[in-house]
Amino acid sequence: MAGDQYFALVDCNNFYASCEKLFRPDLKNTPVVVLSNNDGCVVARSPEAKALDIPMGVPAFQIQHLVKKHGIIVFSSNYALYADLSHRVMQAIESCWPDMEIYSIDEAFLTFSSNPLPGLSMEGLAEKVQKRVLMWTGLRVSIGVARTKTLAKIANYAAKKYPATKGVVVLEEQDRIDRLLALVSVGEVWGVGRRTQEKLCRMNVRTAFDLKCANILNIKRFFNIKIGQTVEELNGSPCFTLEQTPGLKKQMICSRSFGERIKRKDDMEKAVSSFCVYVAERLRSEKLLAGRVDLFIRTSCFNKDKTSYANSCGINLDFPSDDTFYLVGLTCRLLDCIWKEGKAYSKAGVVLSVLTPGEGGRQMQLFESSLIRPQHEKVIEIMDRINREKKGKVLIASQGLGQNPWKMKQSHVSPNYTLDWRAIPIIRC
DNA sequence: TCTGGGGTCCTAGGACCC
DNA sequence: TCTGGGGTCCTAGGACCC
């Protein structure tokens, strides 16, 4: 099968924007954009918004005039809703074909042979997946099929770009592959970002076809082995395989930009304590322990001047831990090390790393206190249980109470249609 | 005035050792 | 005066992804 193996990339069309439209049939032909956390930048656009030339990643305040002029509907991001719909999409795909890797919230890779099942071609299988996802979730997917993951990505790009494909492109014949690669800018290739694209263009490598034909030894010398593998993949030799079991997480982060700038240390302490509480909750839910805590704080990275400041520091733990109280205590100590008065901070984050599995308890270390931890464990278990039912119901003291200036802006958030009984859409006939 | 968050991997360079 | 070379490990920073 190895010589006859193909990869398919299944990718939801305009995923976040489509999730929002799903429950708002009144917005069928209306331009819709979804903003990043804190209502910062555009992270998803409906086809109507794309037609208005709203670029990906543009700051929301820069498109205010277009929003007014064209009646664009703006949503804050609602990740709980998107995660739930993503789960349903993945279930629908898996029900058609089990050899699947969930690659991101809206993408999955599949592997199959050129004749996946008797009487079923690769196109046939792709169409089956497309129909089932639409039937089960109401969401549309595009599918690209080719010999390697990198080529499947490009096939998917074509499936989205050219409506005549009806969202399915299967790349088999070499001359067809080459013709497509010549139409694709090198910056669209998976693994080639802005920096690499600039460097490649200076070397006169402008299209995916140019990169395919580039001298691989030179590419490895001037870039790195990753880009070298990309060249091999463009030539049809697979370097990246299907990863069905996700590896152990290496780090967990909670970071936020603030709705309002933070100037006081006690406000910052509340913010970073809350970030730490949140990330420790996730750590426990994945049954992991952290061996290191890092904290970073920074003023705005735009308008750099002499008042700008960014710093970070971290500490290796003597014993790996998932204890919120301990981790928050360390986070506050780290803040003491890097806090600088007189600054207007715009962002901060807590990073837990050196993660190890914590399932089934953990060896107590020789000099570790055996008195404190069991009490903490019980309290934390109860806090987790309550907070699972209602987020943020139980706080620890350093998180502070009441309105916090660091809270995210989320002015246009939609209801949790699929997760909250009170938000279930009502159909009137 | 307003510019996301959560990840991974690679590499260069420093520290250290023999 | 003159001060090696090879190896490992760790970390910060860069680049990329969605």
Side-chain angles (χ1 to χ4, degrees), chain A residues 14-22 32-34 44-46 82:
Chain A
N14 325 306
F15 184 55
Y16 297 169
S18 305
C19 290
E20 297 294 350
K21 280 202 172 195
L22 196 57
V32 162
V33 298
V34 179
R45 305 153 295 159
S46 71
Y82 311 149

Side-chain angles (χ1 to χ4, degrees), chain A residues 9-264:
Chain A
L9 176 66
V10 186
D11 189 333
C12 299
N13 300 348
N14 325 306
F15 184 55
Y16 297 169
S18 305
C19 290
E20 297 294 350
K21 280 202 172 195
L22 196 57
F23 297 94
R24 293 286 305 273
D26 56 310
L27 300 180
K28 192 167 176 230
N29 298 312
T30 310
V32 162
V33 298
V34 179
L35 303 181
S36 61
N37 271 335
N38 224 18
D39 292 347
C41 306
V42 171
V43 290
R45 305 153 295 159
S46 71
E48 302 81 8
K50 285 181 186 170
L52 293 170
D53 289 331
I54 308 266
M56 184 69 166
V58 68
F61 71 89
Q62 285 177 11
I63 56 160
Q64 291 280 338
H65 61 293
L66 293 172
V67 168
K68 272 196 193 130
K69 188 172 165 195
H70 301 288
I72 300 171
I73 301 295
V74 177
F75 286 96
S76 304
S77 37
N78 183 345
Y79 290 106
L81 177 69
Y82 311 149
D84 183 58
L85 289 169
S86 165
H87 182 61
R88 293 165 192 237
V89 168
M90 298 306 166
Q91 279 181 321
I93 298 171
E94 197 178 18
S95 76
C96 297
W97 197 258
D99 298 332
M100 171 168 98
E101 169 194 341
I102 297 175
Y103 175 67
S104 74
I105 192 163
D106 70 334
E107 285 170 87
F109 282 107
L110 311 177
T111 44
F112 40 71
S113 69
S114 56
N115 288 301
L117 285 172
L120 190 68
S121 65
M122 294 196 283
E123 283 89 351
L125 177 57
E127 283 161 13
K128 185 177 164 187
V129 171
Q130 229 183 2
K131 279 186 191 142
R132 184 158 303 173
V133 174
L134 182 62
M135 191 164 70
W136 285 22
T137 68
L139 294 165
R140 289 179 191 281
V141 295
S142 298
I143 303 180
V145 181
R147 286 272 183 198
T148 66
K149 282 184 161 183
T150 304
L151 286 172
K153 274 264 181 189
I154 287 181
N156 192 288
Y157 169 81
K160 282 207 166 74
K161 184 161 179 168
Y162 305 110
T165 63
K166 296 189 177 156
V168 173
V169 168
V170 179
L171 292 178
E172 285 184 282
E173 307 83 26
Q174 192 58 51
D175 65 316
R176 187 155 171 258
I177 297 173
D178 288 347
R179 269 185 284 130
L180 174 58
L181 293 183
L183 293 173
V184 176
S185 153
V186 73
E188 297 291 344
V189 176
W190 191 40
V192 176
R194 190 171 53 87
R195 298 287 174 149
T196 306
Q197 183 183 14
E198 283 167 11
K199 213 167 146 186
L200 283 168
C201 281
R202 286 198 293 275
M203 296 161 70
N204 229 4
V205 175
R206 295 173 193 283
T207 68
F209 183 72
D210 294 340
L211 186 58
K212 181 203 159 194
C213 300
N215 180 310
I216 192 151
L217 292 177
N218 281 339
I219 292 291
K220 281 183 181 163
R221 191 173 335 138
F222 291 128
F223 296 89
N224 53 54
I225 54 167
K226 272 278 207 213
I227 305 293
Q229 288 174 318
T230 299
V231 174
E232 290 190 48
E233 286 240 324
L234 288 173
N235 281 285
S237 309
C239 297
F240 309 129
T241 54
L242 199 74
E243 287 167 32
Q244 286 174 279
T245 42
L248 217 56
K249 251 196 194 125
K250 307 219 161 84
Q251 59 176 32
M252 276 192 187
I253 302 176
C254 178
S255 69
R256 293 280 181 279
S257 293
F258 305 126
E260 286 171 41
R261 299 276 186 266
I262 284 188
K263 294 182 177 154
R264 290 161 39 141

Side-chain angles (χ1 to χ4, degrees), chain A residues 343-390:
Chain A
K343 303 288 175 190
Y345 294 93
S346 69
K347 185 172 180 175
V350 175
V351 185
L352 303 183
S353 55
V354 195
L355 305 184
T356 48
E359 182 129 43
R362 171 190 59 115
Q363 186 72 43
M364 184 68 85
Q365 305 290 325
L366 184 58
F367 298 106
E368 195 174 8
S369 166
S370 58
L371 295 173
I372 299 171
R373 200 185 147 80
Q375 285 178 2
H376 279 188
E377 257 176 21
K378 200 76 208 156
V379 173
I380 288 169
E381 202 185 303
I382 293 167
M383 279 177 65
D384 280 350
R385 207 163 56 224
I386 298 172
N387 284 337
R388 264 198 299 273
E389 281 165 26
K390 187 160 175 25

Side-chain angles (χ1 to χ4, degrees), chain A residues 309-428:
Chain A
Y309 172 70
N311 206 350
S312 69
C313 68
I315 181 168
N316 291 317
L317 276 54
D318 293 334
F319 315 107
S321 175
D322 62 0
D323 180 336
T324 293
F325 297 101
Y326 177 51
L327 296 172
V328 168
L330 290 177
T331 303
C332 292
R333 266 170 48 201
L334 292 174
L335 180 61
D336 291 336
C337 300
I338 54 175
W339 175 261
K340 216 173 183 179
E341 277 300 332
K343 303 288 175 190
Y345 294 93
S346 69
K347 185 172 180 175
V350 175
V351 185
L352 303 183
S353 55
V354 195
L355 305 184
T356 48
E359 182 129 43
R362 171 190 59 115
Q363 186 72 43
M364 184 68 85
Q365 305 290 325
L366 184 58
F367 298 106
E368 195 174 8
S369 166
S370 58
L371 295 173
I372 299 171
R373 200 185 147 80
Q375 285 178 2
H376 279 188
E377 257 176 21
K378 200 76 208 156
V379 173
I380 288 169
E381 202 185 303
I382 293 167
M383 279 177 65
D384 280 350
R385 207 163 56 224
I386 298 172
N387 284 337
R388 264 198 299 273
E389 281 165 26
K390 187 160 175 25
K391 208 176 163 190
K393 185 95 175 169
V394 185
L395 305 173
I396 68 170
S398 59
Q399 290 180 265
L401 290 168
Q403 274 298 314
N404 291 315
W406 52 270
K407 280 281 185 215
M408 270 198 304
K409 263 193 287 183
Q410 271 194 311
S411 315
H412 318 279
V413 67
S414 54
N416 281 332
Y417 298 105
T418 59
L419 297 161
D420 182 352
W421 285 109
R422 289 161 301 182
I424 285 190
I426 297 168
I427 300 170
R428 293 196 175 81

